[in-house]
Amino acid sequence: MTSAAPQPVRLEDYAPPPYLVDEVDLSVDIQDAHTLVHARLTMRTNSESSGDSPLQLDGHGLETRAVVLDGQELREGTDYRIEDGQSLIVTRPVGASFVLETVCAIDPANNTALEGFYAAGPIWCTQCEAQGFRRITWYPDRPDVMARFTVSLEADAARFPVLLSNGNPHGEAESLPGGRHRMRWHDPHPKPCYLFAMVAGDLACVEDSFVTRSGRLVALRFFVEHGNEDQVSYAMQALKNAMLWDERAYGFEVDLNTYSVVAVGSFNMGAMENKGLNIFNTSCVLARTDQATDGDFLYVEKVIGHEYFHNWTGNRITCRDWFQLSLKEGLTVFRDQQFSAAMNSPAVERIKEARMLRVRQFAEDEGPTSHPVRPNQYMAIDNFYTATVYEKGAEVVRMLHTMLGEAGFRRGMDLYVRRHDGQAVRCEDFLAAMADANDQDLSAFMGWYTQSGTPRLEATGIYDATARRFTLTLRQSSAPTPGQPDKHPLPIPVRMGLLGPDGRDLPARLEGEKEEGQTSRVLLITQPEQSFTFTDIPAPPVPSLLRGFSAPVRLTYPWSEEELTFLMKHDSDPFSRWDAGQVLAIRLLLTMTDTHAHGGPMEVPGHFIAAFARILEDESLDPAFAATALSLPGEMELGQQQRVVLVDSLHAARTMLRRHLAETLRDSFQRRWSQLAAQSDPQALDGAHIGQRALQNLCLSYLGLVEDDDIQAQVVSQALHAANMTDVMAAMAILADGQNPKRDEVFSAFHQKWGHAPLVVDKWFSLQATSSRSDTVGQVRELMKHADFSMKVPNRVYALLGGFAKNNQLQFNSANGQGYALVGDAIIELDQLNPIVAARMATAFGRWRSFDATRQNLMRQQMERILAQPRLSPNTLEIITKTLEAPETR
Ligand code: TRP
Ligand code: ZN
């Protein structure tokens, strides 16, 4: 198949669809050699379109067997033509309403892109978002075309006993001659084709039910490969919790009689919200305490919630075009965050979110693929399922929530649904509903959707003892990003408080205010620079800023070390309390790194150890919070603070600090460890036990750095015998990094034990890929040849190559360039199989301009080698081209 040089798609070129589809009747016949798809589309011209464009449908890799218009077979060349294999253009006039039928053959068994209809091992399934439906049949593949679907699926009854599609069964299953059978499905809700799904396979079904608050009985079905039935109970409970939570928080009810989730092992992303038939990566459904970590469990809960919440924010109200992706994703991530906070510790959840935003989204927004939450141009839309669209998008929604308050936000959501249910809309429509419901002008807020880059907020404070006033000044600025040289100020809600000398919040009353003032309040910054004067402040306060991480900005304030230690001890806001410790640790680690780079002796000041010890020894603290507070910022996060990342010195400094803490506080670590170990229960998944394991294993992660035979034996024993995967992984991670002589033995025992469990084998790959040991590149090369490795299974690629390229700053950036070469080879090979996954791996070079000249050159060589490949996908082409365009310094 040939294809012309890909052209970018632009938001400004949007035009309404010239033709609409009312009904889709699909007959899918799964045969041995191929699958035949007969589509019958009931269509009409769109009165809202300017008219007279020819009828044009999207396709990809379809073998067209027939095209029939109103019962009359069309001839290629005279009645229609196919351009580049991607557009079917009917050159005959069509009526105001008409029926178009096509018959195509597709080949799911050899579909390695995992888009459209494909074989995920024994399970055949679809993935249509964003543009996979065109790989199934000719169709106007855009989200603003919404239709009612009826689907008939036919296949061998023994190999594919289960045949599913969206909606409700439409009649009984029919037996057909030759051991075949047929199932029909009908979805009463009009939907864009990206929400279409079908599944065929030999699957086990675990069933439960939910009664909505208006009394509708909904069957809940989880379909998994046989043998995995005992790993769905957690996800099932999470689904019921999500349904109940959404009713209570937003008044949203399930609108279906059945809600099904299918788990497949080969999937490009986490999960997909297809109407009533979610398809999930096994990694986001299956979980059992002996095989999944606590982090995995919480992630399953979040993703189950996320896909369910899409039913209202995404499916019933969908996107007008793909530029509006964050309309559904940002809002739905915000909703899944609210859900996770309601089910777990809100403080720990918020800290996780902030940390992830800083490490991943800030890096993206400061790099060559920086784009606004609502991008305005793309080559491959799949490249825009990013941390910016998802996580920064969620922060934008959260800021609205902060500014409007819980009740105001809810009023906005109610109005949004009342106005737009059943429609395909834009980010502006969401914002307008929020504004109108609250009688507010939110027009400046649109800048959060259209402007890329992470705003910097520089804060300073002056205390005037005689006037008893404290003046806080905030300056915002944004560095230029690709395509956006000039930036405008944005409205930034800064939640803050002022701590008095006793560590308690003072009433924060602004000049001119009559009331006393809340102790924690939101300042809205709208100008490039703004000052706020607080009155009746008896003594110099310590400001606590950006509480709860109230805006996705980089905030600085010239806190002294004493002030940071004070905040760590007293801040009533857990996020800011945690963050004070992070700021302190970052400062120290950057200083140590510089010292190391200049060959000087690194020193750890006593006040840092004291502050650390205070948290470790404070038994009244929530263990989950203590564990996050005692985790030092990672090497990536530290690297982001450096103009030129000092890869090796950063690692040396961080390791030295960890060792030093481990040795100095060894007794405390040991005492805490034994105390917590006494409370352990490997099956328990409640917050208290998750927190206990987190802190216990944090203690072990420090103790593991001590060269002591007893401790090392304890680590080996935990790796081999612990009954809970969180505990096993904590011990394995220590071994992966260290020089324990039993390391290799334990790794092979682990593989022996878990070789049959793919999700656990993924962990085995990723532990080795993220090791800081100097032989890691060689190990990864070897592991790529391992019988269990496959470039065709995204989970494997993400575990091994993703682990190495994205989670191992030290070894990926090894100065000999071997890490870059390995990843270059992998991208080239992957691109021919699965462009979505290849392009995701290609973002690993995104930070190349932040390294020294030698490393920059080595990375450039790899990128140029990738670009020189024939038939490079538009996905990888777009990422690599943009990355190479990054200017020399920033
Ligand atoms: N819409 C999905 C979600 O956020 C994610 C998604 C988009 C996806 N494209 C995909 C999943 C391709 C799998 C494959 O939940
Ligand atoms: Zn989503």
Side-chain angles (χ1 to χ4, degrees):
M1 193 182 59
T2 60
S3 81
Q7 291 300 307
V9 182
R10 291 189 175 82
L11 171 57
E12 64 193 35
D13 294 340
Y14 173 86
Y19 298 92
L20 299 175
V21 185
D22 290 319
E23 303 281 341
V24 180
D25 222 311
L26 275 188
S27 296
V28 179
D29 184 0
I30 301 176
Q31 299 177 357
D32 286 340
H34 51 233
T35 291
L36 277 184
V37 180
H38 180 150
R40 187 174 186 279
L41 312 180
T42 308
M43 301 186 68
R44 63 188 155 90
T45 55
N46 182 5
S47 57
E48 274 161 44
S49 157
S50 48
D52 78 329
S53 351
L55 174 61
Q56 186 167 343
L57 305 172
D58 303 302
H60 187 117
L62 303 170
E63 188 192 310
T64 308
R65 300 267 173 98
V67 180
V68 179
L69 179 64
D70 291 325
Q72 223 189 333
E73 177 138 16
L74 302 186
R75 285 155 306 162
E76 183 162 10
T78 33
D79 303 325
Y80 74 91
R81 66 174 194 277
I82 293 175
E83 282 180 5
D84 295 330
Q86 301 191 11
S87 297
L88 185 154
I89 300 161
V90 176
T91 42
R92 274 256 207 119
V94 297
S97 61
F98 54 93
V99 173
L100 187 81
E101 290 168 85
T102 59
V103 181
C104 295
I106 55 176
D107 185 8
N110 291 305
N111 178 344
T112 61
L114 315 188
E115 293 179 87
F117 191 34
Y118 68 94
I123 308 176
W124 288 28
C125 68
T126 52
Q127 172 55 41
C128 293
E129 186 178 5
Q131 298 177 331
F133 193 68
R134 62 183 65 186
R135 294 170 186 253
I136 297 171
T137 192
W138 290 107
Y139 200 78
D141 188 357
R142 44 188 290 169
D144 55 354
V145 171
M146 294 165 94
R148 270 189 202 85
F149 282 66
T150 305
V151 179
S152 154
L153 274 164
E154 185 182 322
D156 181 83
R159 188 165 164 208
F160 299 106
V162 175
L163 299 173
L164 307 171
S165 190
N166 318 80
N168 306 311
H170 201 48
E172 299 285 303
E174 290 169 70
S175 284
L176 303 172
R180 297 176 64 78
H181 69 153
R182 181 188 298 142
M183 249 327 269
R184 284 170 72 76
W185 294 87
H186 176 73
D187 183 356
H189 300 276
K191 65 170 176 285
C193 66
Y194 82 86
L195 292 172
F196 166 79
M198 61 182 171
V199 172
D202 184 2
L203 295 162
C205 176
V206 178
E207 188 158 346
D208 203 331
S209 62
F210 179 82
V211 181
T212 69
R213 63 172 183 182
S214 65
R216 181 201 281 264
L217 177 70
V218 188
L220 310 180
R221 299 196 174 113
F222 279 71
F223 292 92
V224 294
E225 278 185 43
H226 292 284
N228 288 338
E229 297 92 325
D230 60 348
Q231 298 191 49
V232 300
S233 62
Y234 181 84
M236 180 70 85
Q237 187 58 48
L239 179 58
K240 292 196 257 179
N241 293 345
M243 289 179 165
L244 191 62
W245 180 85
D246 214 16
E247 288 184 351
R248 294 194 174 152
Y250 288 100
F252 292 152
E253 269 189 53
V254 197
D255 56 4
L256 303 149
N257 304 326
T258 0
Y259 191 89
S260 297
V261 171
V262 181
V264 300
S266 293
F267 204 64
N268 283 341
M269 306 216 205
M272 181 62 212
E273 69 265 25
N274 315 302
K275 185 80 186 187
L277 180 55
N278 289 181
I279 299 180
F280 269 61
N281 190 320
T282 44
S283 70
C284 298
V285 188
L286 303 181
R288 210 173 67 184
T289 48
D290 62 337
Q291 295 182 30
T293 64
D294 295 335
D296 296 333
F297 277 96
L298 294 181
Y299 195 64
V300 165
E301 175 177 73
K302 171 188 163 75
V303 179
I304 287 277
H306 181 96
E307 307 312 331
Y308 173 66
F309 301 144
H310 266 314
N311 193 48
W312 282 88
T313 53
N315 299 4
R316 291 186 68 123
I317 305 182
T318 196
C319 302
R320 187 194 72 168
D321 54 73
W322 289 118
F323 297 102
Q324 320 297 330
L325 184 57
S326 197
L327 173 80
K328 74 177 178 81
E329 295 304 346
L331 178 54
T332 304
V333 171
F334 174 68
R335 280 156 47 67
D336 81 49
Q337 291 177 349
Q338 288 186 304
F339 170 59
S340 289
M343 306 304 294
N344 306 289
S345 151
V348 174
E349 289 299 314
R350 191 63 191 136
I351 290 167
K352 262 199 293 189
E353 289 153 15
R355 180 178 241 172
M356 136 80 163
L357 196 82
R358 284 175 175 165
V359 176
R360 298 218 5 242
Q361 198 280 324
F362 284 12
E364 179 170 272
D365 228 353
E366 287 162 2
T369 57
S370 174
H371 52 274
V373 169
R374 184 175 68 189
N376 41 37
Q377 180 170 325
Y378 62 76
M379 296 268 272
I381 186 56
D382 297 298
N383 286 339
F384 288 80
Y385 288 76
T386 59
T388 299
V389 167
Y390 276 65
E391 275 76 27
K392 186 179 179 182
E395 294 302 321
V396 170
V397 174
R398 181 180 295 269
M399 285 189 285
L400 287 169
H401 183 273
T402 300
M403 285 157 49
L404 301 172
E406 176 70 32
F409 186 81
R410 175 64 197 270
R411 276 194 297 277
M413 285 293 283
D414 289 350
L415 182 59
Y416 176 59
V417 171
R418 217 175 319 127
R419 278 184 183 168
H420 299 299
D421 191 12
Q423 298 175 9
V425 303
R426 297 173 304 153
C427 299
E428 283 87 344
D429 298 308
F430 176 70
L431 207 51
M434 286 288 155
D436 296 350
N438 291 285
D439 224 350
Q440 288 207 20
D441 176 7
L442 294 173
S443 48
F445 202 81
M446 196 60 209
W448 279 107
Y449 286 97
T450 56
Q451 183 164 290
S452 55
T454 304
R456 285 175 189 270
L457 202 50
E458 249 179 277
T460 50
I462 292 174
Y463 181 65
D464 179 342
T466 42
R468 292 161 57 96
R469 289 160 168 251
F470 180 75
T471 302
L472 184 69
T473 301
L474 296 134
R475 264 174 234 100
Q476 62 165 306
S477 63
S478 280
T481 52
Q484 284 191 352
D486 303 312
K487 302 290 184 182
H488 306 287
L490 294 170
I492 303 176
V494 178
R495 186 179 291 283
M496 53 80 65
L498 299 174
L499 277 69
D502 62 353
R504 292 216 246 164
D505 284 332
L506 299 165
R509 182 203 303 211
L510 283 172
E511 201 171 24
E513 284 179 346
K514 294 210 181 58
E515 274 136 51
E516 199 188 34
Q518 301 136 288
T519 52
S520 191
R521 61 184 295 163
V522 178
L523 306 177
L524 186 64
I525 321 295
T526 55
Q527 305 302 312
E529 176 169 336
Q530 244 165 301
S531 289
F532 299 86
T533 299
F534 299 91
T535 56
D536 286 327
I537 307 293
V542 180
S544 160
L545 303 173
L546 212 66
R547 284 181 162 178
F549 198 54
S550 64
V553 301
R554 280 197 191 276
L555 177 128
T556 56
Y557 182 87
W559 285 291
S560 68
E561 270 157 25
E562 291 68 35
E563 286 175 321
L564 287 168
T565 317
F566 185 78
L567 289 170
M568 274 172 85
K569 209 165 156 185
H570 298 293
D571 201 321
S572 62
D573 182 81
F575 167 79
S576 293
R577 190 145 51 111
W578 167 79
D579 203 31
Q582 296 292 302
V583 173
L584 201 63
I586 289 173
R587 279 194 203 167
L588 171 60
L589 282 163
L590 291 178
T591 309
M592 289 172 66
T593 301
D594 279 339
T595 313
H596 181 271
H598 294 106
M602 294 184 281
E603 272 162 40
V604 183
H607 73 83
F608 186 84
I609 298 172
F612 193 96
R614 223 175 1 251
I615 298 172
L616 177 61
E617 288 155 15
D618 182 354
E619 286 167 32
S620 69
L621 264 186
D622 169 17
F625 176 82
T628 58
L630 298 174
S631 307
L632 299 178
E635 288 172 32
M636 305 259 200
E637 205 176 340
L638 294 163
Q640 282 178 35
Q641 311 275 336
Q642 299 189 301
R643 209 184 54 79
V644 176
V645 184
L646 299 174
V647 179
D648 300 292
S649 292
L650 265 183
H651 179 73
R654 191 170 182 276
T655 307
M656 190 273 188
L657 179 56
R658 279 164 37 84
R659 278 230 166 86
H660 187 85
L661 288 166
E663 278 155 12
T664 320
L665 301 175
R666 177 172 168 174
D667 291 347
S668 298
F669 278 123
Q670 238 151 359
R671 193 159 359 97
R672 274 316 246 147
W673 186 89
S674 345
Q675 262 173 4
L676 293 156
Q679 306 162 18
S680 102
D681 172 355
Q683 310 296 343
L685 276 169
D686 55 286
H689 281 94
I690 291 178
Q692 164 262 317
R693 274 191 291 271
L695 188 54
Q696 187 189 327
N697 287 317
L698 174 114
C699 291
L700 190 69
S701 76
Y702 281 94
L703 290 170
L705 297 166
V706 178
E707 276 165 39
D708 175 286
D709 290 348
D710 287 349
I711 294 175
Q712 294 304 322
Q714 165 66 39
V715 170
V716 168
S717 152
Q718 180 165 325
L720 289 173
H721 307 301
N724 176 288
M725 186 51 83
T726 305
D727 294 332
V728 173
M729 286 299 285
M732 293 290 291
I734 296 169
L735 295 174
D737 256 6
Q739 303 297 332
N740 189 308
K742 292 255 169 64
R743 180 192 194 259
D744 295 354
E745 205 179 299
V746 176
F747 268 83
S748 50
F750 184 95
H751 186 271
Q752 279 262 299
K753 182 170 180 184
W754 294 114
H756 63 281
L759 295 171
V760 188
V761 174
D762 289 334
K763 297 184 191 308
W764 181 80
F765 275 108
S766 104
L767 278 168
Q768 298 176 80
T770 50
S771 167
S772 63
R773 285 164 48 129
S774 57
D775 60 353
T776 298
V777 188
Q779 294 287 326
V780 174
R781 279 245 184 240
E782 281 307 305
L783 287 167
M784 285 170 76
K785 295 182 215 141
H786 193 282
D788 287 348
F789 184 74
S790 166
M791 284 287 197
K792 292 186 181 166
V793 181
N795 285 359
R796 281 291 134 87
V797 174
Y798 296 144
L800 184 65
L801 299 163
F804 178 69
K806 298 196 175 179
N807 289 320
N808 194 343
Q809 177 165 282
L810 180 70
Q811 294 305 333
F812 171 59
N813 294 295
S814 150
N816 60 22
Q818 287 176 12
Y820 303 146
L822 181 158
V823 173
D825 289 347
I827 292 168
I828 290 168
E829 188 183 340
L830 271 170
D831 195 56
Q832 295 304 305
L833 298 168
N834 187 329
I836 290 184
V837 174
R840 298 199 135 209
M841 293 304 306
T843 61
F845 292 119
R847 293 169 64 228
W848 71 297
R849 286 302 198 185
S850 308
F851 294 85
D852 55 75
T854 315
R855 288 183 170 92
Q856 285 195 29
N857 277 329
L858 291 164
M859 280 193 257
R860 182 206 295 280
Q861 279 167 29
Q862 293 306 322
M863 287 189 274
E864 285 172 349
R865 188 162 72 93
I866 293 165
L867 274 192
Q869 298 299 310
R871 299 186 314 277
L872 199 65
S873 70
N875 305 59
T876 302
L877 179 71
E878 178 173 39
I879 299 290
I880 298 285
T881 312
K882 283 184 179 168
T883 305
L884 275 171
E885 279 167 7
E888 203 158 327
T889 46
R890 41 175 183 121

